[in-house]
Amino acid sequence: MTELLFQNGIVYTLEGPRQVDVLVSDGVITRVGPGLGRSGQTIDCSGLYLLPGAVDVHVHSRDPGFPEKEDFASLTQAAAAGGVTVVVDMPNTVPAVDGAGVLEAKAALARSKAHVDFGLWGLIRSSTQPDELDEMAAAGAVGFKAYLAYSFSISRKQVLYSPGSDDPDLEPPADYGTLARLAPAVARLGLPLAIHAEDPTVLAAFRRPVLTYDDLLASRPPEAEAVAVSAAAAVAKQSGAHLHIAHLSSARGLQAAEDAIRGGVALTLETCPQFLLLTAQDFGRVGSAMKMLPPIRTVADRDALVDGLLRGVIGVVSTDHAPHTDAEKSQQLEHAPAGSPGVQTLYLSCLQLAKDLGDVWLAPRWVCSAPAALVGLEESKGAIEPGFDADIVLIDPKGKTQVRAEHMRSRQRHAALEGKEFDFAIKAVYLRGEALTAAAGPRGRMVRPAMALR
Ligand SMILES: [Zn+2]
């Protein structure tokens, strides 16, 4: 049995921060308490925060499909460097994860490269059948994702960032009818149904050339988010399905979600560091690196999202980590693809935001316990408690970190948060009791929701 003792750290526990020791045996936390004594290897954590590894439920590995943008190795090395010990990958890789066979093949590929643990979302297409959801759940899907504004190329097996056309190769996007049809099956499985919440009819009404950042904002109005949230909530309500809103970006979307929650819909909300730390006013400084969809909006939207986090209405902060190549992202706004790497800066972004809001200990809730619960890992990940995996991040609260392209481990080096400074530094990251070092090989495992197929 391998034992590891973390001594004298300030440990984030479910009861709050405590100066206690943490004993780890064979990769699992076995005891948390004062004076656990010397046993096996000891790590002195004096002056350091000892936090759970983060769970990022919204990443795009690009693997398989676009290895020039990212793959499971570069994604999970970036995650490891940022204290994220579980990444949950979205299903719009190529081929898209629309069935159990594709999910199993992707899991095997990820297992061969992953430096941290990983989970996989399954895709809901407008043609998806309930038995396909059952099969993906049995293969380990943490939940399902529907892209309401994006069609599906049948020949390329790819989610396309276009609302569709008369082309017979383009299957129309999943719509509210799809959600209504499949919500009972999702509810029966007990898994979350995540949506990209932009209503395609609202987007169509506001379509325009995007030459300036104001054009981008005008082409993706917050009404698109609010309508998608309300309509999805309306069709999911009777089924009892757990609806999860990915990358919430606007005050209007938040209001629609709160109305739905008050109306009894089982609904959770996720937002992202870029929506909490940046606003449209940053475009002059950051440029196309901050182009994403939905877009980074106004100061009022940012303030509403921060307020939603503080009130606990928004539970999860994940990244929508979506790298491209630096060459693609350096194009003019009109041509640059949407998305930015973010997994490496998730933890420090949230610690800084929480500190600035007056309670640094909010951050582990946003990036550890709430996302772990979303994907059914609340009994093994996201907390420093006996029985949990020893996924541990040591943070120096007197350190300094600046987001700089040369330190980024993703293929895309230049992120939307480039230049941001944090009053914290990551000193070490452990995955199931073993230090994650640059030289370590891939030993990530696939995680599966504990409550699936109950
Ligand atoms: Zn995404």
Side-chain angles (χ1 to χ4, degrees):
M1 187 164 68
T2 313
E3 289 213 323
L4 193 58
L5 182 67
F6 294 85
Q7 275 188 316
N8 303 318
I10 302 161
V11 179
Y12 174 77
T13 70
L14 296 182
E15 293 81 44
R18 298 161 64 198
Q19 180 145 6
V20 287
D21 297 343
V22 176
L23 183 66
V24 171
S25 300
D26 291 336
V28 175
I29 297 165
T30 50
R31 293 179 71 192
V32 179
L36 296 184
R38 192 181 168 78
S39 164
Q41 192 190 343
T42 300
I43 295 163
D44 181 19
C45 305
S46 301
L48 300 179
Y49 293 167
L50 195 152
L51 307 181
V55 178
D56 188 341
V57 297
H58 193 152
V59 303
H60 296 274
S61 69
R62 311 301 194 193
D63 193 9
F66 302 97
E68 72 282 8
K69 297 175 192 276
E70 193 79 302
D71 73 358
F72 262 97
S74 55
L75 165 74
T76 53
Q77 284 169 332
V84 174
T85 48
V86 181
V87 291
V88 189
D89 200 43
M90 284 296 168
N92 61 334
T93 38
V94 185
V97 181
D98 60 355
V102 187
L103 191 139
E104 282 164 357
K106 183 172 171 180
L109 174 78
R111 225 175 258 121
S112 72
K113 300 182 186 177
H115 292 258
V116 301
D117 288 351
F118 66 91
L120 299 175
W121 291 93
L123 178 70
I124 284 182
R125 293 167 49 183
S126 53
S127 61
T128 297
Q129 296 303 311
D131 61 334
E132 294 174 295
L133 301 182
D134 293 345
E135 289 161 13
M136 284 192 275
V142 301
F144 306 101
K145 173 82 176 280
Y147 292 85
L148 296 178
Y150 297 130
S151 55
F152 186 84
S153 166
I154 295 164
S155 64
R156 290 153 69 182
K157 301 184 183 306
Q158 185 179 355
V159 176
L160 290 182
Y161 295 105
S162 78
S165 67
D166 296 335
D167 183 345
D169 183 50
L170 288 188
E171 182 179 287
D175 58 15
Y176 307 116
T178 314
L179 299 184
R181 183 170 60 77
L182 295 176
V186 176
R188 177 170 44 75
L189 289 166
L191 297 176
L193 170 48
I195 62 169
H196 177 115
E198 287 188 292
D199 180 89
T201 63
V202 176
L203 295 185
F206 286 85
R207 192 173 302 144
R208 69 195 60 209
V210 174
L211 301 176
T212 66
Y213 200 79
D214 283 344
D215 294 335
L216 180 70
L217 288 178
S219 72
R220 315 293 286 215
E223 287 80 0
E225 189 167 73
V227 167
V229 169
S230 297
V235 297
K237 181 175 178 180
Q238 287 308 318
S239 70
H242 169 184
L243 199 61
H244 178 71
I245 308 301
H247 51 49
L248 188 77
S249 67
S250 70
R252 301 280 297 269
L254 176 60
Q255 185 62 56
E258 292 199 59
D259 289 347
I261 292 167
R262 264 194 297 277
V265 179
L267 187 133
T268 53
L269 298 173
E270 156 201 314
T271 192
C272 314
Q274 56 270 28
F275 298 134
L276 300 165
L277 300 185
L278 298 175
T279 70
Q281 295 174 2
D282 290 296
F283 182 71
R285 176 179 60 84
V286 179
S288 298
M290 65 175 260
K291 178 180 178 183
M292 54 193 69
L293 300 174
I296 293 165
R297 302 183 192 272
T298 66
V299 171
D301 288 300
R302 179 203 60 194
D303 290 350
L305 295 172
V306 170
D307 186 58
L309 259 185
L310 280 175
R311 290 184 291 117
V313 181
I314 301 174
V316 172
V317 182
S318 281
T319 62
D320 197 10
H321 176 90
H324 298 279
T325 67
D326 283 309
E328 288 170 324
K329 285 298 287 188
S330 63
Q331 298 175 91
Q332 296 288 325
L333 184 66
E334 184 182 9
H335 301 293
S340 169
V343 72
Q344 192 172 335
T345 49
L346 170 67
Y347 221 137
L348 294 183
S349 297
C350 287
L351 285 168
Q352 188 66 49
L353 178 65
K355 180 185 178 186
D356 293 344
L357 293 169
D359 183 1
V360 71
W361 305 106
L362 291 169
R365 279 196 228 164
W366 303 336
V367 302
C368 303
S369 45
L374 172 69
V375 293
L377 303 177
E378 65 272 33
E379 292 167 13
S380 59
K381 301 287 191 185
I384 305 290
E385 297 288 324
F388 279 65
D389 285 354
D391 298 348
I392 289 170
V393 182
L394 300 182
I395 300 274
D396 180 357
K398 295 196 169 85
K400 296 277 179 215
T401 303
Q402 186 180 32
V403 181
R404 290 171 61 178
E406 64 260 41
H407 297 151
M408 301 298 275
R409 305 295 293 273
S410 280
R411 299 260 150 83
Q412 183 189 332
R413 302 289 174 134
H414 205 92
L417 294 180
E418 172 77 17
K420 283 278 175 196
E421 294 181 1
F422 306 126
D423 303 332
F424 302 91
I426 294 174
K427 304 305 286 183
V429 181
Y430 295 82
L431 176 68
R432 286 179 271 102
E434 280 185 50
L436 287 170
T437 62
R443 54 182 197 86
R445 293 181 190 162
M446 180 158 157
V447 295
R448 302 169 66 110
M451 297 305 285
L453 297 178
R454 61 195 154 185

